[in-house]
Amino acid sequence: MGNVQAYSAVPPPPPPRAAFPKEKVDPEVKITQEESIENPGPLEEIHTKCKNVYPTCFEGARIMLSRGLSNHFQITHTINMSSVTPSGYRFGATYVGTQQISPSEAYPILLGDIDPSGNLNASIIHQFQPKINAKFGAQVQNSKFQVAQLTLNYKGSDYTASMTVANPDIINNSGVVVLHYLQAVTPKLALGSELAYQRGPAVPGGEIALLSAAAKYTTENYQLSGTVGVSGVHLCYYQKASKQLQIGVEFEANNRIQESVASIGYQVDLPKSEVAFKGHIDSNWSVGAVLEKKLSPLPFTLAISGLMNHQKNNFRVGVGVIIG
C-alpha cells in the first residue's frame, strides 16, 4: 500500500523560473517616434488634396487612346470635338527615367502634347539631388513662347523652400519671381509665407510685390489649409468621410475684382462596381459632375460630364471614351 500511495501522490511544484527584467522604454524616445515631424511639401500644393476632389468638366465628345511602348515610355492620342474649347487632334508623350527615388517615384520625367498647328505644352521634372528638385514648363502658341517657367524646390527635414521664375525678359526688363517657404511646426501644423514680385511695362507703376501667409493643419482624416494676403483669401477644407466618400469645401475672395466664391465638392468611389463619381456646386449656382465607369473586361473607360449654370441658363454635356 505504501508503494501505491507514493505513486499516486501529487508531484512537488517546479522551482520558480528566473524573472527576466523587462526592457525599459524611454518616454522621450517614445514621444519622438510617435510625433516625428516630416517634410510638409511645397507651399503651392497645400490646397491640392481638396482640389483633387472637384471634377474636371468638359464639353462635347472626346476620345483618348493611351498606349505604353515600354516601362518608361507612353504615348497618347486625343481627339476633341467641342464648340467651347478648340477642337482637333493632339499627340502626347510621357517618359519616366531610370533614376529610382522610391517605389512610386522615378526621374527624370518628360511629358508634353502637341497639335498639328505646332501648339506645344511641355514639362521636365528632375531630381538633381536628394534635396533639390527642379521643374521646367513651357507653352508655345502660334509659334511664340507664351509661358516659360522654372521652379526649384529645396526639401529639408521639416521644411521646403521654393523659387519660381516665370517669363523672364531681360530686353523689356520684365518677369515674375515667386518665393515660397513652408515650415512644419508640429507633426500636424505647417506655417509658411509667399512673396511674389512682378515687373514689366504692363504693371501699374512698373513693378509690384505681394506678401501672403499660409497655414496647413493635417490629420489622418481631414485637412485645413489657407492663404491670406493683400490680394485676397483662399481657404480649403478636406474630409475623408469613409473609404468611398471624400468631401472638399473651398472659399476664395479676390480683393482686386471684389468677388468671392464658395464651393463644395465630393468624390464617391465604388471599387466593386468600378465607378468613380465627382460633383461640385458653388455660390454662383454652377453645378457640375463627372462619372467614370470602367467597361471591364474591355480596356475602355466611359466618362460622362455635365455642367449647368442656373443663373445664366447654360448647360453643357460631354461624353468621352478612354482606351488603354
Side-chain angles (χ1 to χ4, degrees):
M1 296 294 294
N3 294 334
V4 174
Q5 292 179 358
Y7 282 105
S8 62
V10 179
R17 297 180 180 179
F20 294 96
K22 295 183 179 180
E23 183 181 356
K24 295 183 180 181
V25 179
D26 191 352
E28 296 182 357
V29 176
K30 185 176 181 181
I31 293 175
T32 304
Q33 293 177 352
E34 294 179 353
E35 300 182 356
S36 60
I37 299 178
E38 299 179 355
N39 186 284
L43 187 143
E44 63 180 357
E45 297 180 0
I46 63 173
H47 302 307
T48 302
K49 207 166 189 177
C50 176
K51 288 184 173 294
N52 287 340
V53 177
Y54 285 73
T56 302
C57 299
F58 61 94
E59 192 266 346
R62 179 179 300 176
I63 300 175
M64 177 182 293
L65 172 61
S66 178
R67 182 181 180 184
L69 301 181
S70 66
N71 294 332
H72 303 279
F73 194 68
Q74 180 182 4
I75 61 174
T76 58
H77 305 273
T78 305
I79 299 176
N80 185 34
M81 293 171 285
S82 172
S83 59
V84 179
T85 59
S87 302
Y89 165 79
R90 296 192 73 90
F91 172 79
T94 301
Y95 172 79
V96 180
T98 58
Q99 183 180 342
Q100 197 77 23
I101 304 299
S102 65
S104 60
E105 192 176 9
Y107 295 97
I109 301 175
L110 290 79
L111 53 94
D113 60 86
I114 189 172
D115 64 8
S117 301
N119 299 324
L120 172 69
N121 296 319
S123 297
I124 302 174
I125 306 173
H126 188 53
Q127 187 90 14
F128 291 100
Q129 293 182 0
K131 295 183 178 181
I132 300 178
N133 178 278
K135 179 180 180 181
F136 174 77
Q139 182 179 2
V140 179
Q141 297 288 337
N142 299 323
S143 302
K144 294 182 180 180
F145 272 96
Q146 299 293 332
V147 178
Q149 179 175 303
L150 176 64
T151 301
L152 295 176
N153 294 324
Y154 182 86
K155 296 183 179 181
S157 58
D158 57 354
Y159 69 91
T160 299
S162 306
M163 181 183 68
T164 301
V165 179
N167 295 337
D169 191 344
I170 301 177
I171 299 176
N172 296 324
N173 197 17
S174 64
V176 179
V177 178
V178 182
L179 301 178
H180 288 161
Y181 183 82
L182 188 61
Q183 172 74 54
V185 181
T186 67
K188 298 180 180 180
L189 178 63
L191 301 177
S193 62
E194 176 190 74
L195 175 62
Y197 175 80
Q198 183 177 2
R199 185 182 181 90
V203 180
E207 58 183 2
I208 186 174
L210 299 175
L211 180 65
S212 60
K216 180 177 69 171
Y217 186 84
T218 307
T219 65
E220 184 178 357
N221 295 323
Y222 69 90
Q223 176 179 291
L224 285 166
S225 59
T227 55
V228 180
V230 179
S231 59
V233 179
H234 190 185
L235 304 175
C236 287
Y237 173 77
Y238 166 83
Q239 172 75 49
K240 185 177 181 181
S242 64
K243 294 182 179 180
Q244 293 80 25
L245 178 62
Q246 302 177 65
I247 301 174
V249 180
E250 184 178 15
F251 173 78
E252 189 171 3
N254 194 318
N255 293 334
R256 294 181 180 179
I257 60 178
Q258 297 295 316
E259 182 181 2
S260 60
V261 178
S263 61
I264 179 172
Y266 58 92
Q267 177 178 343
V268 180
D269 295 311
L270 303 176
K272 294 183 179 180
S273 302
E274 297 183 329
V275 173
F277 182 84
K278 292 183 179 181
H280 89 279
I281 182 172
D282 60 25
S283 57
N284 293 329
W285 297 105
S286 293
V287 181
V290 174
L291 172 68
E292 293 186 358
K293 165 65 176 176
K294 290 185 178 180
L295 306 177
S296 298
L298 300 175
F300 294 166
T301 300
L302 176 64
I304 302 176
S305 172
L307 181 62
M308 174 183 289
N309 189 295
H310 294 271
Q311 288 184 342
K312 299 180 181 179
N313 197 20
N314 290 335
F315 181 70
R316 299 175 182 174
V317 178
V319 179
V321 177
I322 304 173
I323 305 173

